[in-house]
Amino acid sequence: LFWLAEGYKPKLKGPPYFSAVITSYFAGIAMWAMYIPPPPDIPHGCPYDVASFVWVVLEICSGIVAYDAIFFFLHLAMHAMPGTVGAAVSHARHHSLDGSRWDTKLTNQQRCETAGRVVHHSLVDGALQVLVNILVQRHTPWGCVKSRLARYLHNVIVTLMLTEAHTTAASPKIARRWFVGVRDHYLHHRHRGQPYQQFFSYLDSTLQWCEAAARRRCVTRRA
């Protein structure tokens, strides 16, 4: 959908290397399933009344919020400590296509600053995202085993939100209408600073407040 809006035709060869990403993703999932047992007694989650419907919605929302919060700190560490955490994760690979949209020396097919950047990352970087996603989907924050329906919908919604956060298409605007992190993630790819949150904005706002408070203390001490 976003590629159509961008006028981009996906390639099997060249960045963002979809065939390699898909292969490594399913290989990793298969290895996880082989060695890590799932939680016991996973409910199906199909709602049968209002209360069960609300429960599924809470499961989905809590998982998305938890994923975004946990990965915020990992993402922040990658940029705050580029020589250690960033280098170990090879996060620079994810940003290697930034700016290609404006490079006049490239053809349209070589300008890869598209929604495909969502899967253009190192193996370690991608594995971290998948592991965080698995972590928040095994149990709810209140300790209950998450239902199969909530897990499925979580995967669909998170994938769509991440893809829209990386698109350069002006429309369609779905998650960007409601979520500041999705709407402003393109700014992070412009200057590699804030916002670090991919979906919401409260942690970036808190970080800005802390940085401003620290600067005020420094000014006060110097005075």
Side-chain angles (χ1 to χ4, degrees):
L1 179 63
F2 295 108
W3 276 334
L4 289 174
E6 291 166 344
Y8 178 75
K9 297 178 181 179
K11 307 180 295 291
L12 290 178
K13 294 183 179 180
Y17 304 105
F18 295 104
S19 57
V21 169
I22 293 171
T23 302
S24 60
Y25 172 79
F26 283 105
I29 293 297
M31 290 182 63
W32 176 275
M34 187 181 301
Y35 294 105
I36 307 297
D41 303 322
I42 301 176
H44 58 75
C46 295
Y48 51 85
D49 57 16
V50 174
S52 60
F53 174 79
V54 172
W55 180 265
V56 172
V57 171
L58 288 174
E59 284 185 307
I60 296 169
C61 292
S62 65
I64 293 173
V65 171
Y67 169 84
D68 190 52
I70 294 172
F71 203 78
F72 165 83
F73 292 101
L74 293 173
H75 194 195
L76 176 61
M78 294 173 197
H79 286 277
M81 296 178 281
T84 52
V85 179
V89 176
S90 297
H91 187 62
R93 177 182 174 85
H94 179 60
H95 287 278
S96 63
L97 300 179
D98 294 352
S100 63
R101 183 187 183 194
W102 314 108
D103 193 337
T104 57
K105 297 179 182 179
L106 302 178
T107 65
N108 287 335
Q109 279 302 96
Q110 291 173 322
R111 293 183 181 125
C112 298
E113 195 180 29
T114 72
R117 290 178 298 171
V118 72
V119 294
H120 185 70
H121 45 58
S122 70
L123 184 62
V124 178
D125 201 346
L128 275 177
Q129 293 193 46
V130 174
L131 285 173
V132 171
N133 212 34
I134 291 174
L135 174 66
V136 302
Q137 291 215 71
R138 288 175 69 86
H139 295 85
T140 63
W142 49 91
C144 297
V145 176
K146 188 170 288 189
S147 67
R148 298 185 189 279
L149 179 61
R151 293 180 182 202
Y152 172 77
L153 293 176
H154 172 102
N155 283 332
V156 172
I157 294 170
V158 165
T159 300
L160 288 174
M161 291 177 74
L162 285 174
T163 303
E164 186 171 355
H166 288 86
T167 187
T168 54
S171 62
K173 291 184 178 180
I174 305 171
R176 283 177 287 180
R177 291 182 180 273
W178 309 102
F179 303 105
V180 175
V182 179
R183 185 192 69 204
D184 292 344
H185 192 67
Y186 78 97
L187 294 172
H188 170 71
H189 278 269
R190 290 278 179 86
H191 51 67
R192 304 191 184 185
Q194 287 184 301
Y196 297 108
Q197 242 181 316
Q198 298 177 101
F199 298 158
F200 307 107
S201 60
Y202 62 94
L203 290 174
D204 277 304
S205 297
T206 302
L207 179 61
Q208 290 175 355
W209 183 88
C210 292
E211 290 174 340
R215 287 194 294 269
R216 286 195 298 269
R217 284 197 297 271
C218 289
V219 171
T220 302
R221 288 174 182 174
R222 291 174 183 174

